[in-house]
Amino acid sequence: MNGDYRDVFNADGPLARVLPGYLYRPEQAAMAKAVGAALARLEPLIVEAGTGTGKTFAYLVPALLSGRSVIISTGTRTLQDQLFRRDVPLLAGALGLPVKIALLKGRTNYLCRHRMELASSQGSLLGGERGVTRTLARVVRWAATTQAGDLSELTDLPEQSSVWPQITSTRENCLGSECPQFSRCHVFEARRNAQAADIVVVNHHLLLADLALKDEGFGDLLPGAQAVILDEAHQVPDIAAQFFGRVWSVRQVQLLMRDIPAELTNAGVRSTAVAQAVIDVESKLEELRHGLQRGQGRYDWASLPDAFLDVLPELETALGAIATQLEGLGAGAGLANCGRRAGALANSLAALAEMSDDTGLRWVDASTAGLVLQYTPFEIAERLREYVESRPCAWVFTSATLAIGEDFSHFSARIGLPEARTLRIGSPFDYPTQARIFLPPRMPQPQDPAFAARFIEVCAPLLEANGGRAFLLYTSYRGLGEGVRALQARFPNPPFPVLVQGEAPREALLNRFRELGNAVLLATGSFWEGVDVKGEALSIVAIDKLPFASPDDPLLKARLEGIRRRGGNPFFEYQLPQAVLALKQGVGRLIRDFEDFGVIVIGDPRLKTKVYGRVFLEALPPSPVISDAGAAAAFLAAHQARLRPALARASQAP
Ligand code: SF4
């Protein structure tokens, strides 16, 4: 096999035999060659692969042919499943390689038999919640037959179900080798399978949790891996910051307060002192919730009221008291584990309260999931660098959005690898022919109250001319709400179906969009990336504003503060490049295939009026930039006219 994998990617090669409509793409072969070289030399590599490169196969081919043991980490569980169930087996078959593949998820995806038994024996404790006992009985029936213990097999068990934490383990509550169920444990079995595999597919949360905590059901794997390939790698720095910080959640304490009575019953122990200590902790949790004196949101530590901060040492003392009492009982592995957890929670609360604000930011996240107290370090680059350099292993970071033009310095600095080899692979799509970038004239400033209505006004003729088929992507929920109202005002009886984020789960909404074929979808947040709608159903992507992250977000504040403290310029070093990468992601929703066409609308006038606007424009695909709405509509009409005969033929086909 050549180092350039030409035999594999050629139009008459093994890929062409298994992939219908396969096209040879020199970009794909070039990426495979670079990945192959990194794997051979056990070096880090950062690759930006433009949309349409076929980057998944471009890293899988060298990974499979390298003969090395490889961990592939993806951004989402959906991608993880797709690699495990479809891409890797298909490719291994096409190449005739007998490869052992394993899928490894985080602990909370596997049944914990010990905790399921505890929960079953404590049915009365759970009985207050409607349907919980019935759900638990269903889990017990399934547990008798499951091989892998993967809870995704229970398709009708929602992740938000209060049963979920009762039947899964955490790093803290797992009894490990002391567990009576250890020999039948699904978590440890999944880990053993992964250790024996050539290719292990994980996701970034699992990989980074494991790097940071050394145990997520995965810790023993990394030393054996010779390559780690991170797809959708643009997400890695933010996820790493979560795991390299500290987290203390009310939910962890609540779970412990439920486990203690269950373990007491399990061990046949009665203790009024422990029962009273549990009541004390629960009442302190209540005081903490009230002390916050505000609703859902993220709050900087410095802004927290005394009524909240004063409860923290009392809670720490109450948790410490439970730890001491359980230790005194000396009754069995389950209760000993509860005692250790109480002690660890008390210690981590104390540590959090004393963290230095010089190295990171402390903040509170209040959401429907409960209160979470966090410490996020300003810099994670050093930690990541240590991991990468600590063992001979190739680390490949890839995504469609890592560079600003040809410059990778923003991303490579964030992951602590400023000297890593980089490669930018352009998209094989013909952007000058397939798309136009429309910058509407006379747009008000983004903060102007008239902005939302004007944005819809400039989009309206295109939506009409195109018969819908559009994404309207907003940079905030507030903007989305204003956009929905403006669209309703402009089209009281819209001539196309209108879908709005939040009406249904993300995947359901996207499927509906594809099925309808002429819908207009208004969305924000997660719809900016990882969305793939090929064909005519999507031929306009309209973006209201440049996606600068909210300056109120404490996490962003932490990062900006970190840059400021080392004498850097937060806007040019962080905010601007992040916004450019986010815009590239949003724009990347439009052209997903060689036959796709369409118009990108960007409503923000700062693209033309600010000096930094040039940085955004240079990062966009090389499509002609126009400011004439008539030209944009004519472009769409011309492409539709070209397609119409083909569509008519398709609809008449038997
Ligand atoms: S070893 Fe841990 S995860 Fe496995 S059954 Fe026991 S407590 Fe649960």
Side-chain angles (χ1 to χ4, degrees), residues 53-71:
T53 303
K55 69 174 159 40
T56 307
F57 281 18
Y59 63 70
L60 283 181
V61 166
L64 289 177
L65 289 171
S66 70
R68 297 201 183 279
S69 61
V70 181
I71 293 174

Side-chain angles (χ1 to χ4, degrees), residues 107 110-115 168-170 173-182 184-188:
R107 272 180 183 278
Y110 299 100
L111 173 73
C112 167
R113 290 187 175 277
H114 172 67
R115 293 183 58 74
T168 56
S169 64
T170 63
N173 64 27
C174 173
L175 303 184
S177 55
E178 290 181 6
C179 176
Q181 301 284 350
F182 187 64
R184 304 173 65 207
C185 174
H186 295 299
V187 172
F188 285 88

